[in-house]
Structures are given as C-alpha cells and as structure tokens.
Amino acid sequence: MISAPTDSPAQRQHAFRTYVEPEIEVLLRVAQTLTGSWADSEDLVQDTLIRAYRAIEGFDGAHPRAWLLTILRHTYLNSHRRQRPDLAPEITDLDGQRPAFGAAIAASPEQTVTDQVLDDSVETALAALDPKFRTVLLLIDVDQLTYAEVADLLDMPVGTVMSRLSRARDRVRTDLRSNPEFRRSR
C-alpha cells in the first residue's frame, strides 16, 4: 500500500512495477475482447498504462486490477467518442513485410480441418449472440475475469453478469448442438 504520495520518480516506478505490470496481460486480453483487434487493444492498453502511471500517486494499493480495469473502461469509452475511420493500407505496401511476432508454425492437415470446423462453428455461435451476452461470455470464459471484475468493467450488477453469462452459454450450447458440422467434427 502506498502510504504517502509518490513524489520521486523511483517511488513512482516502484509502485508501477508492483501494482500495474503484473496486470498487463489481463489488460491486453480484456482490451482485445472490447476492441476485437490486437492492434487496437495494444493502443488501448498503452493509453491505459500512461494514465495509470500519471495517476499512480493517488492509488492506495488496494485492488490494482479493479483500478486498472476502470481506467481501461474509461479510456475505451473516451476513444469511441472521438473515433475516426481507419484507412486500409494499400496491399502493395505490405509486400515483403515480416510478421511482427515470428513465423507461424504449420499445423497438420487433420488439425487444420478440425480447427477450421470448430472455429467456424464457435465463431458462428458467438456471432449469433447479442453483443451484451457475447462480451460477458468472452470476458469471463476467455479473458478469465471474475464476475466482480466484469461487473466493474461494464458498470453493471454482478447478478446481471451472472445472468447474461448463463444465457450466453446456453445459447452457444444450443447453437453448437444444432450445427451438423460441429457434431461431425467431434
């Protein structure tokens, strides 16, 4: 717990390393769920980290994840207020570019087919969900946030989070059971 304001850069850096850095992976997963894009999620987390660094002196050290998710949510909402359309790059600009995180490892032909069928079935089931249900499902089941963290992030009661999650899971199960491609791949 920070007992006094962090006036020195060393105190500020120590507090940032202690409270913020361990939560970066969670912030990235949540941001990706909110934005739907890795590039946008990285930008959102970077803005969140800058805001957290600037505000660390006022942070009491209690519940760093909740504090950071609140900053993330406000940053995300603010970005939508001033969002401008992105221009697609020319395809010729991408020729000869290397992947940012290394080359992909080739999967076996069987794994490729199984992954495609499963991915398509799950993506179709997720796409069919109302966004309010899909967001809760992804934040809890994929990003592994707690009910309380999702409730804080989305500014709703925990009971609403639990209800939406239950309905989302039921709808995905129903969609998958009724999909003949999914049943065949299992």
Side-chain angles (χ1 to χ4, degrees):
M1 183 181 244
I2 300 172
S3 57
T6 53
D7 293 330
S8 76
Q11 289 174 316
R12 190 179 271 239
Q13 290 172 358
H14 174 71
F16 190 84
R17 274 194 300 275
T18 303
Y19 299 113
V20 178
E21 286 182 6
E23 302 296 337
I24 291 175
E25 185 179 328
V26 171
L27 292 173
L28 281 167
R29 288 194 318 257
V30 171
Q32 205 285 324
T33 298
L34 292 174
T35 64
S37 158
W38 276 113
D40 291 342
S41 66
E42 288 172 344
D43 289 344
L44 177 58
V45 169
Q46 182 177 6
D47 290 345
T48 300
L49 294 175
I50 290 168
R51 290 173 188 232
Y53 186 78
R54 289 178 182 158
I56 196 85
E57 64 191 26
F59 178 57
D60 66 3
H63 311 290
R65 183 176 289 178
W67 178 66
L68 290 165
L69 289 173
T70 300
I71 295 172
L72 180 89
R73 182 184 80 216
H74 289 275
T75 304
Y76 174 70
L77 293 173
N78 286 341
S79 71
H80 280 295
R81 291 186 188 130
R82 60 178 187 265
Q83 189 174 23
R84 296 182 190 139
D86 289 335
L87 299 176
E90 294 292 325
I91 194 69
T92 56
D93 294 344
L94 300 176
D95 289 341
Q97 297 296 316
R98 294 180 51 214
F101 297 104
I105 298 170
S108 69
E110 296 85 9
Q111 188 64 43
T112 302
V113 170
T114 302
D115 288 348
Q116 188 62 43
V117 169
L118 180 62
D119 287 349
D120 289 347
S121 299
V122 172
E123 282 185 31
T124 301
L126 286 174
L129 287 175
D130 185 288
K132 66 184 181 183
F133 296 111
R134 181 175 47 247
T135 300
V136 169
L137 178 81
L138 293 173
L139 288 171
I140 291 175
D141 288 344
V142 176
D143 297 330
Q144 300 178 344
L145 296 182
T146 65
Y147 296 136
E149 290 168 340
V150 173
D152 287 342
L153 180 67
L154 300 178
D155 197 26
M156 65 178 63
V158 172
T160 303
V161 169
M162 295 169 71
S163 171
R164 287 184 182 180
L165 177 63
S166 176
R167 288 181 183 156
R169 286 175 175 166
D170 286 345
R171 290 175 186 172
V172 168
R173 268 190 227 109
T174 301
D175 284 354
L176 290 176
R177 285 183 187 135
S178 66
N179 185 328
E181 287 294 320
F182 179 75
R183 287 198 315 257
R184 227 183 344 255
S185 71
R186 294 178 50 162

